Amino acid sequence: ASPQAPVAPKDGGLIWVSRTGLCGELSSDDVGRRVRICGWVALHRVHGGLTFLNLRDHSGIVQVTTLPNEFPEAHAAVNQLRLEYVVSVEGIVRCRPAESINKKIKTGMIEVAAEHVQILNPVRSKLPFLVTTGDEGKDGVKEEIRLRYRYLDLRRQQMYSNITLRHRVVKVIRQYLEDMHGFVEIETPILSRSTPEGARDYLVPSRVQPGTFYALPQSPQLFKQMLMVSGFDRYYQIARCFRDEDLRADRQPEFTQLDIEMAFMPLEDMLKLNEDLIRKVFLEIKGIELPDPFPRLTYAEAMSRYGSDRPDTRYELELKDVSDVFMEASFKVFSDTLRSGGIVKALCVPSGAKVYSNTALKKGGLYSEAIRSGAKGLPFLKVLENGEIEGIPALVSSLGPQKRDLLLKRCAAASGDLILFAVGDPGSVNRSLDRLRLFVAQELGLADHSRHSILWVTDFPMFEWNDSDQRLEALHHPFTAPNPKDMENLSSAHALAYDMVYNGVEIGGGSLRIYQREVQQKVLEIVGISPEEAEAKFGYLLEALDAGAPPMVESHMALTDW
Amino acid sequence: ASPQAPVAPKDGGLIWVSRTGLCGELSSDDVGRRVRICGWVALHRVHGGLTFLNLRDHSGIVQVTTLPNEFPEAHAAVNQLRLEYVVSVEGIVRCRPAESINKKIKTGMIEVAAEHVQILNPVRSKLPFLVTTGDEGKDGVKEEIRLRYRYLDLRRQQMYSNITLRHRVVKVIRQYLEDMHGFVEIETPILSRSTPEGARDYLVPSRVQPGTFYALPQSPQLFKQMLMVSGFDRYYQIARCFRDEDLRADRQPEFTQLDIEMAFMPLEDMLKLNEDLIRKVFLEIKGIELPDPFPRLTYAEAMSRYGSDRPDTRYELELKDVSDVFMEASFKVFSDTLRSGGIVKALCVPSGAKVYSNTALKKGGLYSEAIRSGAKGLPFLKVLENGEIEGIPALVSSLGPQKRDLLLKRCAAASGDLILFAVGDPGSVNRSLDRLRLFVAQELGLADHSRHSILWVTDFPMFEWNDSDQRLEALHHPFTAPNPKDMENLSSAHALAYDMVYNGVEIGGGSLRIYQREVQQKVLEIVGISPEEAEAKFGYLLEALDAGAPPMVESHMALTDW
């Protein structure tokens, strides 16, 4: 018994034909060959009794021409075509006439002389925009229209490359982890129980048990710890994660991360494994050589120098603490705050004095950015050609020559530079100057795009003070191990957690895990979870930690951010 | 700036050590080498002043012994150990004494003489069952206990293999699709709109737009069609799918399938691509050679011969239509039904007459199975040694010698065989005999487990009658293409849909897609969806079909069923 083969339908019916190859892969090597190619009409013009078209598939385009005398039917069929029709073309590959050779594309030496042409699917609607091969037409089309007709937008070669980039990155990751390091890919459930992480869970009502809910996982967190307790040793997953947060440009309700958990691996090995992976991806996918090893910055140093735990180091613009300069100065805005325990930090913008007029500094974009960051104003000074300073009069007059020189030296400020200040508690000062630093760098185009800033940020505090809840909370999450050195004073301990930062974006990280019940319980207590609550929420984990949990280490990489 | 390295903690603290290798990979080649291995205590015994233990990780076990005189601290530490403690052992690999050599395992020639032993994590709870290396202990432990303490159950080598099987299968699939056939893996969203498929959707309430819901996809169905319209040509995904159905042994709320969609590929190429893939997986993972090509059965033939569209052909037991035998016979149960358009089919069980007593046939398991299948009873005949038949008297007496011989010949029944009957409309007759066939095969152990039954079922009807809704519905789904030959009478058309059946389980399938708006609209109309409703539900798809949709073909493989 064999199935009935589909017969060739009459015109306009469904038909499936075989290709001999792809449009964009034909070349001079194929001259004289009979081919059948399928694709979309990308260009269509009549010229001197002949009709030309470009046929496009995902591999590229090839020129098709007609032979009106030898193959009048094919010629007539080609004349009926319109842009984006789906067609099958059968014919002989031949050299293009010298005047139409295009050396820029692979198929530019040849064309296909059509002998048989079938319309597989016509276009009956008026298309809202042209499918161009490059990015050229993009700017003319609104984002909403491109998204509304995404199936057209994605036909462009550029969009095809964007979408397939993920595929190529993941392929390199799999090779590295599976073939070089023996990792096993394991799928963990999507319909699961709520896990305690930073964001809101998406909930799925259960039909079978009314009133109960599944939660979509914010990460495979607990599952992967259980896998380590089960002895799986080296797990990875390209894991879908869900966070019910308000949409932002860099936050989507669902996203995908590379998720790794390893047993019996020490810290430096984990960092090296991640570095090597990222170096390999950048080299193989983008041809970029990243440093070996990656530079490292402690959290404290990153905050001090950049006001941020994810600094973009493609440009300098480092923050300087100038509290001592103003400690006894007469500028009350600063000195009052300093006396009550605050700090003053400065950001020196090279040649910024000419770029930003005094008016701009008092109500322009930079000023608005300062206000948005929570600052009450934007104190500034400009260094004049003669080495004098100008700016807010009370600020200028508060500095004698000695203090002024100390300030300029501290900021490495030269004539023509602009110095911006922030004052207050360290958190808000850093927050303000981080934003101003990014804003200025963006506006002045300071980032050298041929440079790549990649680094580890290390030694995060385990806990930070949540002022509105009046309690300590975990900076990463409460399963991160404290540095064993800090066990005596756990609430101020550093965490064995590491963030990987690329061009100012956190693209991944890793941490050692708490793997002993006793330590886990202490940490939960510090973030205000009572033993009873811990038992109710994490009883399963605590029990597992007591049943032979190995030392574990996790790492993760965002797949959407790079 | 470099991060602070974790220092060695005092006993009982967190510690991460480096391994030199894995327990199960040590061999005679390593004799004399200093190693550090980490794992779980799998066996622990004191014997003649020495202490032995087996240390286990995912790679296997290795024997560890002590040197009480040379390394008394290590000896003392080993004595403290208990089963499933997590430890690090440093020592020298040496040959085992001749009397303790175990040739059955890779590490059976050697042992590690412990010089330094660290407890990384003790076990403080009483474990509910032993972690055995093989399957031996399994039967003694209840399923619920094994699931409750799944992290212990998964430590067994057998469970490790089960879980990693998926990984190995997926790896073969990826190699085949990506490296040999140029497929691109593309992730489609999980939070999406409801798609029209067979089962109930899981719904996720939106917080941002109260009263609206996301649906979790039953398959990537519409996304992958859109990808083809966008020109992606060859897509695949290891896709998570969700169906809110009541739990059954073979139905879970979420499952994973290999999901494929291809443009411009004809039927036979698609079938061959899938066959080659499955042959490769079976060969590489299980060492099984499947036939090339796979046998094919039309839907009509499968229903006629096996009463099922997923027949297990490892055993014969074919159904025979014997309606003509009973057409004019006096057995009213049969003849009345035949006159009103029903049929009678028979299932001959070789040597079944002795296995099933008359009492069993009137109220035993086989009888119950018939009733559960919806039959009103279980008519049967036995063929005696002398060639006579016995059974329900009215049935026996209704058959003269000629009809009896015709019946026996039709069923290829010999003395000692049992013939079971079902009567009614074809649907219910097939349903009953399919169940009885599986039941008998299971009970008599008819399946030859060295055989592998794999086949395509072809030529499904496009539509089947839904009696409760009084309308036609799509047998697969309403996007499957009808055979172009059948376009004139679409409502009775065959679908270009193919199921792959392995040992009686549908493990995958493929179908050509409707890719023209006009045909799609006609099919939707037949299943009772008005043009307005079609526009509301599938407007986006219909619009895309009109904007240059290529001929498309899909296929899918369950990853949980094999």
Side-chain angles (χ1 to χ4, degrees):
Chain A
S2 79
Q4 298 167 305
V7 297
K10 60 182 178 21
D11 268 356
L14 300 171
I15 179 173
W16 284 263
V17 299
S18 281
R19 298 181 284 201
T20 58
L22 299 177
C23 297
E25 294 183 353
L26 294 174
S27 73
S28 303
D29 297 344
D30 299 299
V31 168
R33 271 189 60 216
R34 166 172 300 277
V35 296
R36 178 149 62 180
I37 48 183
C38 295
W40 287 262
V41 176
L43 188 86
H44 189 258
R45 66 197 154 92
V46 181
H47 183 68
L50 297 178
T51 304
F52 296 91
L53 63 90
N54 280 346
L55 197 63
R56 186 195 65 237
D57 63 22
H58 67 286
S59 68
I61 58 164
V62 67
Q63 180 167 298
V64 173
T65 188
T66 56
L67 305 164
N69 298 326
E70 296 95 318
F71 296 95
E73 279 182 28
H75 177 72
V78 167
N79 277 340
Q80 286 173 41
L81 299 179
R82 297 292 173 266
L83 288 178
E84 300 305 318
Y85 270 39
V86 184
V87 295
S88 150
V89 173
E90 208 179 327
I92 306 289
V93 178
R94 62 182 197 185
C95 293
R96 291 194 193 186
E99 68 274 16
S100 65
I101 282 176
N102 176 356
K103 290 191 173 160
K104 284 192 218 144
I105 57 171
K106 189 179 173 194
T107 63
M109 303 295 287
I110 55 100
E111 61 189 9
V112 176
E115 299 186 358
H116 183 59
V117 173
Q118 276 176 294
I119 298 177
L120 303 177
N121 211 2
V123 174
R124 292 215 181 76
S125 54
K126 180 167 170 357
L127 299 181
F129 55 88
L130 286 178
V131 177
T132 53
T133 44
D135 243 3
E136 62 269 29
K138 198 184 78 174
D139 294 334
V141 183
K142 276 190 196 152
E143 184 83 9
E144 304 92 88
I145 301 290
R146 288 176 58 205
L147 287 171
R148 168 73 183 76
Y149 297 92
R150 191 151 168 84
Y151 47 81
L152 286 182
D153 195 35
L154 289 176
R155 279 185 203 161
R156 294 186 299 110
Q157 187 59 42
Q158 179 62 44
M159 292 300 287
Y160 184 87
S161 304
N162 292 352
I163 297 278
T164 53
L165 174 67
R166 160 81 70 90
H167 165 77
R168 295 187 297 128
V169 168
V170 168
K171 197 167 162 67
V172 173
I173 291 174
R174 291 190 198 285
Q175 279 167 350
Y176 176 79
L177 293 176
E178 296 181 8
D179 302 343
M180 294 172 66
H181 292 281
F183 278 80
V184 175
E185 185 183 17
I186 301 178
E187 273 193 301
T188 56
I190 296 278
L191 294 172
S192 51
R193 285 183 62 178
S194 183
T195 56
E197 296 187 70
R200 235 180 250 109
D201 285 326
Y202 280 107
L203 297 175
V204 185
S206 164
R207 178 179 55 84
V208 181
Q209 298 191 12
T212 65
F213 296 83
Y214 297 100
L216 305 184
Q218 295 185 36
S219 84
Q221 182 71 17
L222 290 175
F223 292 113
K224 62 190 210 173
Q225 282 184 274
M226 288 300 150
L227 286 171
M228 292 304 109
V229 180
S230 308
F232 278 86
D233 213 89
R234 292 188 169 199
Y235 142 99
Y236 89 97
Q237 186 175 197
I238 308 295
R240 205 74 67 92
C241 306
F242 302 86
R243 296 189 183 174
D244 188 5
E245 296 181 325
D246 295 325
L247 280 173
R248 292 210 311 254
D250 60 345
R251 294 265 163 128
Q252 303 201 320
E254 68 181 279
F255 61 94
T256 302
Q257 70 179 22
L258 165 63
D259 197 76
I260 287 176
E261 187 97 23
M262 297 165 286
F264 303 117
M265 181 175 269
L267 175 61
E268 288 296 333
D269 291 3
M270 179 274 279
L271 295 176
K272 179 163 165 41
L273 184 126
N274 279 290
E275 283 192 17
D276 286 349
L277 170 60
I278 296 299
R279 268 192 294 272
K280 190 174 158 71
V281 170
F282 271 74
L283 189 62
E284 293 193 13
I285 302 296
K286 301 188 169 182
I288 294 167
E289 290 203 41
L290 293 178
D292 180 7
F294 291 175
R296 300 179 187 184
L297 274 179
T298 65
Y299 175 84
E301 204 176 348
M303 294 308 284
S304 156
R305 288 169 57 189
Y306 304 100
S308 167
D309 58 3
R310 44 188 171 94
D312 188 338
T313 58
R314 285 175 299 175
Y315 43 89
E316 301 282 332
L317 286 191
E318 293 196 15
L319 317 187
K320 302 294 174 186
D321 191 319
V322 292
S323 303
D324 56 326
V325 177
F326 293 98
M327 189 60 83
E328 281 150 34
S330 61
F331 187 53
K332 282 182 66 69
V333 179
F334 286 5
S335 53
D336 285 0
T337 306
L338 286 168
R339 262 194 299 278
S340 62
I343 60 169
V344 178
K345 286 175 84 172
L347 171 67
C348 175
V349 184
S351 308
K354 289 156 213 151
V355 183
Y356 294 101
S357 70
N358 288 4
T359 318
L361 288 164
K362 283 174 189 159
K363 44 180 133 166
L366 195 56
Y367 177 81
S368 308
E369 194 66 16
I371 299 303
R372 267 197 293 270
S373 76
K376 296 208 179 69
L378 178 56
F380 67 90
L381 287 177
K382 287 178 169 179
V383 188
L384 303 178
E385 293 297 331
N386 58 10
E388 292 298 312
I389 53 175
E390 68 161 36
I392 297 167
L395 177 53
V396 173
S397 64
S398 75
L399 293 171
Q402 214 181 335
K403 293 281 188 188
R404 184 197 60 197
D405 289 351
L406 179 58
L407 173 69
L408 297 185
K409 195 175 165 209
R410 177 76 51 76
C411 297
S415 64
D417 290 359
L418 167 70
I419 304 175
L420 305 171
F421 297 92
V423 59
D425 66 273
S428 61
V429 164
N430 285 329
R431 201 155 45 242
S432 281
L433 290 183
D434 171 37
R435 270 186 88 142
L436 293 177
R437 182 175 177 270
L438 297 180
F439 186 86
V440 164
Q442 173 75 28
E443 205 160 69
L444 305 186
L446 297 184
D448 174 354
H449 291 288
S450 71
R451 285 186 62 188
H452 299 274
S453 155
I454 193 142
L455 52 88
W456 288 110
V457 176
T458 71
D459 295 82
F460 284 84
M462 278 288 284
F463 307 103
E464 63 182 353
W465 181 249
N466 182 323
D467 215 42
S468 58
D469 292 2
Q470 286 288 304
R471 64 171 185 92
L472 286 173
E473 63 185 13
L475 194 76
H476 277 83
H477 55 62
F479 312 111
T480 309
N483 192 317
K485 285 198 308 186
D486 302 336
M487 289 299 290
E488 295 301 317
N489 196 351
L490 203 50
S491 59
S492 64
H494 289 105
L496 295 173
Y498 296 77
D499 279 359
M500 191 187 283
V501 179
Y502 174 68
N503 290 351
V505 176
E506 183 206 326
I507 61 166
S511 62
L512 303 195
R513 297 267 193 201
I514 297 170
Y515 66 91
Q516 290 173 345
R517 182 182 184 123
E518 208 185 316
V519 180
Q520 185 65 71
Q521 277 172 325
K522 278 187 196 157
V523 166
L524 291 175
E525 248 170 80
I526 288 175
V527 297
I529 296 176
S530 70
E532 296 71 34
E533 199 182 344
E535 196 55 50
K537 275 191 180 166
F538 313 114
Y540 194 73
L541 170 66
L542 294 172
E543 181 186 275
L545 294 183
D546 240 4
M552 324 178 222
V553 40
E554 65 84 24
S555 70
H556 55 273
M557 298 284 156
L559 282 175
T560 26
D561 289 344
W562 44 299
Chain B
S2 79
Q4 298 165 303
V7 298
K10 61 183 179 20
D11 267 357
L14 300 170
I15 178 172
W16 284 264
V17 299
S18 280
R19 298 181 284 201
T20 59
L22 299 177
C23 298
E25 292 182 355
L26 294 176
S27 72
S28 304
D29 297 343
D30 298 299
V31 168
R33 270 188 62 215
R34 167 171 300 276
V35 295
R36 177 148 65 180
I37 48 181
C38 295
W40 287 261
V41 176
L43 188 84
H44 189 259
R45 66 197 153 91
V46 181
H47 183 66
L50 297 178
T51 304
F52 296 89
L53 63 90
N54 280 346
L55 196 64
R56 186 194 65 235
D57 65 20
H58 68 286
S59 68
I61 58 164
V62 67
Q63 181 168 295
V64 173
T65 188
T66 57
L67 304 165
N69 298 327
E70 296 94 317
F71 297 94
E73 279 183 26
H75 177 70
V78 168
N79 277 341
Q80 286 174 43
L81 300 178
R82 297 291 173 268
L83 288 179
E84 301 304 319
Y85 271 40
V86 184
V87 296
S88 149
V89 173
E90 208 177 329
I92 306 288
V93 178
R94 63 182 196 185
C95 294
R96 291 195 193 186
E99 70 273 17
S100 65
I101 282 176
N102 176 356
K103 290 192 173 162
K104 283 190 217 146
I105 58 172
K106 190 179 172 194
T107 64
M109 303 295 286
I110 55 102
E111 62 190 8
V112 176
E115 299 185 359
H116 183 60
V117 173
Q118 277 177 294
I119 298 178
L120 303 177
N121 212 1
V123 174
R124 293 216 181 72
S125 55
K126 181 170 170 354
L127 299 180
F129 56 86
L130 287 178
V131 177
T132 53
T133 44
D135 244 2
E136 63 269 29
K138 198 185 78 175
D139 294 336
V141 183
K142 276 190 197 153
E143 184 82 9
E144 304 94 87
I145 301 290
R146 289 176 58 204
L147 286 171
R148 169 73 182 77
Y149 297 92
R150 192 151 168 84
Y151 48 81
L152 286 182
D153 196 35
L154 288 176
R155 281 185 203 161
R156 295 186 297 109
Q157 186 59 42
Q158 179 62 45
M159 292 301 286
Y160 183 86
S161 305
N162 292 352
I163 297 280
T164 53
L165 174 66
R166 160 80 71 89
H167 165 77
R168 295 187 296 128
V169 168
V170 168
K171 198 168 161 67
V172 173
I173 290 174
R174 290 191 198 284
Q175 278 168 350
Y176 176 81
L177 293 176
E178 296 182 6
D179 303 342
M180 295 171 65
H181 292 281
F183 277 80
V184 175
E185 185 183 18
I186 301 177
E187 274 193 300
T188 56
I190 296 277
L191 293 171
S192 51
R193 286 182 59 178
S194 183
T195 56
E197 297 186 69
R200 234 181 251 109
D201 285 327
Y202 281 106
L203 296 176
V204 184
S206 163
R207 178 179 56 84
V208 182
Q209 297 192 10
T212 64
F213 296 83
Y214 297 101
L216 304 184
Q218 296 186 35
S219 84
Q221 181 71 18
L222 289 176
F223 292 112
K224 61 191 212 172
Q225 282 183 274
M226 288 301 149
L227 286 171
M228 291 305 109
V229 180
S230 306
F232 278 86
D233 214 88
R234 292 188 170 198
Y235 142 99
Y236 90 97
Q237 185 175 198
I238 308 295
R240 206 73 68 92
C241 306
F242 303 86
R243 295 188 184 175
D244 188 5
E245 294 181 328
D246 297 324
L247 281 172
R248 292 210 311 255
D250 61 345
R251 293 266 164 128
Q252 304 200 319
E254 68 181 280
F255 60 94
T256 302
Q257 69 178 22
L258 166 63
D259 198 76
I260 288 176
E261 187 95 25
M262 297 165 285
F264 303 117
M265 182 174 269
L267 175 62
E268 288 295 335
D269 291 2
M270 179 274 280
L271 295 176
K272 179 162 166 41
L273 184 125
N274 279 289
E275 284 193 17
D276 285 349
L277 169 60
I278 296 299
R279 268 192 294 272
K280 189 175 159 70
V281 169
F282 271 74
L283 190 61
E284 293 193 14
I285 302 294
K286 302 187 170 184
I288 293 167
E289 289 203 41
L290 293 178
D292 181 6
F294 290 176
R296 300 180 187 184
L297 273 180
T298 65
Y299 174 84
E301 203 175 350
M303 294 308 285
S304 156
R305 288 168 58 189
Y306 304 100
S308 168
D309 58 3
R310 43 188 171 96
D312 187 338
T313 59
R314 284 175 298 174
Y315 43 88
E316 302 281 334
L317 286 190
E318 292 196 15
L319 318 186
K320 302 295 175 187
D321 192 318
V322 292
S323 304
D324 55 327
V325 176
F326 292 99
M327 190 59 85
E328 280 150 35
S330 61
F331 186 54
K332 281 181 67 67
V333 178
F334 286 5
S335 53
D336 283 1
T337 305
L338 286 168
R339 261 193 299 277
S340 63
I343 61 167
V344 178
K345 287 175 84 171
L347 171 66
C348 176
V349 183
S351 308
K354 288 157 213 153
V355 181
Y356 294 101
S357 70
N358 287 5
T359 317
L361 288 164
K362 281 172 190 160
K363 45 180 127 163
L366 196 56
Y367 177 81
S368 307
E369 194 65 17
I371 298 303
R372 267 197 293 270
S373 78
K376 296 209 179 67
L378 177 57
F380 68 89
L381 286 176
K382 288 178 168 180
V383 188
L384 304 179
E385 292 297 331
N386 58 9
E388 290 298 313
I389 53 176
E390 70 162 37
I392 297 167
L395 177 53
V396 173
S397 65
S398 75
L399 293 170
Q402 213 180 332
K403 293 282 189 189
R404 182 197 63 197
D405 291 351
L406 179 57
L407 173 69
L408 297 185
K409 194 172 166 213
R410 178 75 51 80
C411 296
S415 64
D417 290 358
L418 166 71
I419 304 175
L420 305 171
F421 296 93
V423 61
D425 66 90
S428 60
V429 165
N430 285 330
R431 201 155 45 242
S432 281
L433 290 183
D434 171 35
R435 270 186 87 142
L436 293 176
R437 181 175 177 270
L438 296 181
F439 187 87
V440 164
Q442 173 74 28
E443 205 160 68
L444 304 188
L446 296 183
D448 174 354
H449 290 288
S450 72
R451 285 186 62 187
H452 299 274
S453 155
I454 192 141
L455 51 87
W456 289 109
V457 176
T458 72
D459 295 83
F460 284 83
M462 278 289 282
F463 308 102
E464 63 182 354
W465 181 249
N466 181 322
D467 215 42
S468 58
D469 291 2
Q470 287 287 304
R471 64 172 185 92
L472 286 173
E473 64 185 12
L475 194 75
H476 277 82
H477 55 62
F479 312 111
T480 308
N483 193 318
K485 285 197 311 187
D486 302 336
M487 289 298 290
E488 296 300 318
N489 196 352
L490 203 50
S491 58
S492 63
H494 289 103
L496 294 174
Y498 296 77
D499 280 0
M500 190 188 283
V501 179
Y502 174 68
N503 290 350
V505 176
E506 185 206 324
I507 61 166
S511 61
L512 303 194
R513 297 265 193 203
I514 297 170
Y515 66 92
Q516 290 174 344
R517 181 184 184 124
E518 208 185 318
V519 180
Q520 186 63 73
Q521 278 172 325
K522 278 186 195 156
V523 166
L524 290 175
E525 248 171 78
I526 288 174
V527 298
I529 296 176
S530 70
E532 296 71 33
E533 200 182 343
E535 197 56 50
K537 277 192 180 166
F538 313 113
Y540 194 73
L541 171 66
L542 294 171
E543 181 187 274
L545 294 183
D546 241 4
M552 323 179 223
V553 39
E554 65 85 25
S555 70
H556 54 273
M557 298 284 156
L559 281 176
T560 27
D561 289 343
W562 42 300

